[in-house]
């Protein structure tokens, strides 16, 4: 069986109603999906259970490890139910924000009363991911008066952003805790922590996890304050997401490209996998082909050094979910072939020296792959952070580590079962490379493994020739 061409940069797909149709999930995996994202802000736990189980079953059947990322809602402020589902706000109009709107066309309901108490005159309120802008003009006991600075249509449940407010919501929220308990029960591989502002936010979420095999935590960078604490947040988390939706509202839109590059650079420097997300192929929610600007955006994220790119509405509710993944994979392969990701200087990181040596040796010898044994996620992530231009075939003895590594750039995760011997790993890696036409008999690979069963970390490098 000849499989589709491999891409080093990974693809995250948000699951939703569009992926529930018969056969769609299998086609997504075949087209290149590496990570299935469960957005806990939408849908029921029963729906999420069905989707997670379907992904797990198909991943095993297709012998393709697929990680599951459960995305916590976080302290997101939203509008309440609006009559007829939506309302048009005209520029210059007066509008009130209140906990209940009644039948008034001049009032919008807000789900979060604490937000009303925190807003002050002169502050800016963004609705619907920044499409609509309000300016606070005054307040009464149970409402806040605003003027519409930029008009547009808002819908029931539209998001509210208040970047100038000093309102500090504690992470995790009660809803986060409930969803986290569900995610742990489903044995997810990654948990996305939304609206992180400090390393302490990550620590509080981690303290809620009481299990022998905890999931990895991904800090979503989407608040202005998170940028001020970026290095500490990245160090505290296991991975990072450039969540450009709310980030583009919280920060000056003109700076979003530079902010993206900064976040990716910090994550690369700390050997943390990083996902670039939001509106990557947005037009494909409705149309069969993306815009040229969207294609350039995907390619630019690869050049920046991202580990993965994410599809949201394109796969969750879009009309062309499989086509969106297929086009994403094409763009990734074309970009990777012409412009290798920039290397990260790790000369001062002694702990990664063995990984660095293996990657450097493989490139100098023009080997086809580095084949490594890794019992823990961090070992493989350190190897991947060297940004080699060849596959990193990581053989792990645990299903959790194998699946989690599906998110990391250039890693081809394989599960070894109970036989950790280097020759067994080489056989698995050879079969994987041959199936994808990435190598042929006589080619060289570099093996990285532990010299004895008592040694957990890899300490030996060996060159092998494929038979």
């Amino acid at each position: 069986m000849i499989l589709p061409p491999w891409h080093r940069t990974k693809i995250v797909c948000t699951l939703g109603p569009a992926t529930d149709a018969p056969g769609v999930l299998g086609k997504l995996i075949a087209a290149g999906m590496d990570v299935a994202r469960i957005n806990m802000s939408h849908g029921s736990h029963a729906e999420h259970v069905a989707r997670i189980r379907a992904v797990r079953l198909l991943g095993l059947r297709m012998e393709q490890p697929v990680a599951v990322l459960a995305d916590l809602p976080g302290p997101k402020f939203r509008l309440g139910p609006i009559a007829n589902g939506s309302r048009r706000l005209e520029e210059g109009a007066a509008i009130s924000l209140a906990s209940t709107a009644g039948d008034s066309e001049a009032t919008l309901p807000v789900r979060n009363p604490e937000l009303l108490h925190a807003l002050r005159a002169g502050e800016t309120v963004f609705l619907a991911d920044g499409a609509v802008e309000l300016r606070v003009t005054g307040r009464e006991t149970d409402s806040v008066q605003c003027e519409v600075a930029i008009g547009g249509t808002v819908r029931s449940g539209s998001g509210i952003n208040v970047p100038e407010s000093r309102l500090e919501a504690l992470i995790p929220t009660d809803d986060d805790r409930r969803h986290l308990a569900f995610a742990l029960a489903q044995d997810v591989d990654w948990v996305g922590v939304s609206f992180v502002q400090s390393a302490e936010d990550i620590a509080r979420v981690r303290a809620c996890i009481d299990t022998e095999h905890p999931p990895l935590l991904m800090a979503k960078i989407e608040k202005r304050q998170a940028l001020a604490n970026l290095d500490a947040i990245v160090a505290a988390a296991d991975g990072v997401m450039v969540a450009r939706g709310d980030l583009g509202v919280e920060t000056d839109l003109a700076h979003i490209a530079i902010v993206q590059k900064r976040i990716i650079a910090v994550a690369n420097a700390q050997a943390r996998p990083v996902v670039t997300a939001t509106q990557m192929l947005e037009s494909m929610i409705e149309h069969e082909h993306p815009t040229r600007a969207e294609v350039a955006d995907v390619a630019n994220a690869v050049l920046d050094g991202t580990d993965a790119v994410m599809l949201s509405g394109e796969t969750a509710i879009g009309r062309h979910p499989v086509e969106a993944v297929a086009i994403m994979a094409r763009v990734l392969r074309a970009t990777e072939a012409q412009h290798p990701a920039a290397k990260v200087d790790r000369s001062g990181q002694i702990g990664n020296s063995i990984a660095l040596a293996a990657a450097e040796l493989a490139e100098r010898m023009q080997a086809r792959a580095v084949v490594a044994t890794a019992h823990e996620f961090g070992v493989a992530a350190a190897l991947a952070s060297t940004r080699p231009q060849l596959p990193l075939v990581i053989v792990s003895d645990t299903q959790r580590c194998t699946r989690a590594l599906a998110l990391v750039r250039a890693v081809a995760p394989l599960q070894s079962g109970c036989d950790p011997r280097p020759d067994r790993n080489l056989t698995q890696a050879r079969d994987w490379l041959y199936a994808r036409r990435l190598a042929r008999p006589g080619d060289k690979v570099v093996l990285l493994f532990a010299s004895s069963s008592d040694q957990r970390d890899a300490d030996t490098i060996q060159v092998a020739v494929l038979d």
Side-chain angles (χ1 to χ4, degrees), residues 25-152:
L25 266 181
K27 291 178 181 178
L28 291 180
I29 295 174
M33 178 177 77
D34 301 287
V35 182
R37 174 179 175 250
I38 305 297
N39 187 353
M40 308 297 284
S41 296
H42 304 285
S44 67
H45 282 181
E47 291 171 325
H48 298 325
V49 167
R51 289 164 185 159
I52 292 171
R53 289 178 178 173
V55 168
R56 294 279 193 247
L57 180 62
L58 285 167
L60 289 173
R61 185 180 300 166
M62 299 173 70
E63 298 183 352
Q64 178 63 45
V66 179
V68 173
L69 163 64
D71 211 332
L72 302 179
K76 176 77 171 181
F77 303 118
R78 296 186 182 276
L79 294 178
I82 299 172
N84 300 319
S86 65
R87 186 175 302 167
R88 174 75 186 180
L89 303 182
E90 300 296 338
E91 183 176 340
I95 194 80
S96 294
L97 302 177
S99 56
T100 58
D103 298 326
S104 173
E105 287 289 324
T107 303
L108 288 175
V110 175
R111 293 182 186 176
N112 316 88
E114 65 271 26
L115 174 62
L116 300 176
H117 298 305
L119 290 174
R120 296 292 181 267
E123 291 183 343
T124 303
V125 178
F126 294 97
L127 306 178
D129 289 334
V132 176
E133 181 179 332
L134 311 179
R135 179 70 62 180
V136 178
T137 57
R139 59 179 302 109
E140 294 182 359
T141 304
D142 298 317
S143 65
V144 173
Q145 284 70 53
C146 302
E147 179 183 352
V148 180
I150 299 177

Side-chain angles (χ1 to χ4, degrees), residues 276-300:
T276 303
T278 314
Q279 296 180 333
M280 303 219 77
L281 298 178
E282 182 83 356
S283 66
M284 291 194 72
I285 292 178
E286 296 292 337
H287 304 288
E288 194 169 355
H289 298 286
T291 67
R292 290 161 178 79
E294 288 170 337
V295 168
D297 179 40
V298 173
N300 187 59

Side-chain angles (χ1 to χ4, degrees), residues 124-381:
T124 303
V125 178
F126 294 97
L127 306 178
D129 289 334
V132 176
E133 181 179 332
L134 311 179
R135 179 70 62 180
V136 178
T137 57
R139 59 179 302 109
E140 294 182 359
T141 304
D142 298 317
S143 65
V144 173
Q145 284 70 53
C146 302
E147 179 183 352
V148 180
I150 299 177
T153 300
V154 296
R155 295 177 171 79
S156 298
S158 287
I160 304 173
N161 289 85
V162 285
E164 298 165 2
S165 175
R166 295 189 178 183
L167 181 66
E168 295 183 2
L170 189 65
I171 297 173
T173 66
D174 290 341
D175 267 356
D176 285 342
R177 294 174 189 273
R178 178 173 60 87
H179 290 306
L180 180 59
F182 165 81
L184 295 177
Q186 297 304 311
D187 196 32
V188 304
D189 309 296
W190 288 86
V191 169
V193 185
S194 298
F195 302 104
V196 171
Q197 298 190 66
S198 67
E200 288 72 24
D201 290 337
I202 297 296
R204 283 193 296 271
V205 174
R206 210 179 287 281
C208 296
I209 301 174
D210 184 16
T211 179
E212 185 179 356
H213 302 292
L216 300 168
L217 297 185
M218 179 171 293
K220 295 176 64 179
I221 308 300
E222 50 196 332
K223 297 288 289 182
R224 183 182 298 179
Q225 187 60 33
L227 297 176
N229 300 321
L230 184 60
D231 289 271
I233 291 172
V234 173
D238 303 299
V240 183
M241 181 184 292
V242 188
R244 303 183 303 181
D246 285 281
L247 187 61
V249 179
E250 291 276 335
T251 62
D252 187 339
L253 192 62
H255 295 162
I256 194 66
I258 303 303
V259 169
Q260 171 178 310
K261 293 176 185 296
R262 179 190 165 204
I263 296 170
I264 292 174
V266 171
N268 287 171
Q270 296 196 33
R272 299 294 193 273
V274 53
V275 178
T276 303
T278 314
Q279 296 180 333
M280 303 219 77
L281 298 178
E282 182 83 356
S283 66
M284 291 194 72
I285 292 178
E286 296 292 337
H287 304 288
E288 194 169 355
H289 298 286
T291 67
R292 290 161 178 79
E294 288 170 337
V295 168
D297 179 40
V298 173
N300 187 59
V302 176
L303 300 179
D304 285 345
T306 195
D307 284 74
V309 287
M310 192 174 96
L311 297 169
S312 299
E314 300 95 329
T315 51
I317 60 173
R319 297 174 59 185
H320 310 285
V322 177
E323 291 82 357
V325 177
I327 287 176
M328 180 77 86
R330 282 177 54 200
V331 175
L332 297 180
R333 289 193 296 270
T335 307
E336 292 163 352
Q338 297 297 322
H339 296 280
K343 290 186 176 297
V344 180
D345 182 9
R346 302 195 178 284
S347 56
Q349 300 184 21
I350 303 302
N352 291 337
S353 57
I354 191 75
L356 283 165
E360 183 71 19
L361 177 63
E363 291 191 4
R364 287 178 179 272
M365 297 188 63
Q366 297 184 322
R368 292 299 182 180
V370 173
V371 181
T373 303
H375 304 285
E376 298 176 358
F377 175 83
V379 175

Side-chain angles (χ1 to χ4, degrees), residues 353-422:
S353 57
I354 191 75
L356 283 165
E360 183 71 19
L361 177 63
E363 291 191 4
R364 287 178 179 272
M365 297 188 63
Q366 297 184 322
R368 292 299 182 180
V370 173
V371 181
T373 303
H375 304 285
E376 298 176 358
F377 175 83
V379 175
L383 179 57
S385 71
T386 64
R387 288 296 186 260
Q389 305 311 313
L390 42 74
L392 303 175
V393 184
I394 306 293
V395 184
S396 175
D397 57 358
T398 68
Q399 192 176 63
R400 172 175 291 281
C401 184
T402 302
R403 290 196 308 245
L405 286 170
L407 183 140
V408 182
R409 184 189 180 279
V411 170
L414 303 177
Q415 190 168 351
S416 66
C418 300
D419 191 346
R421 291 177 300 173

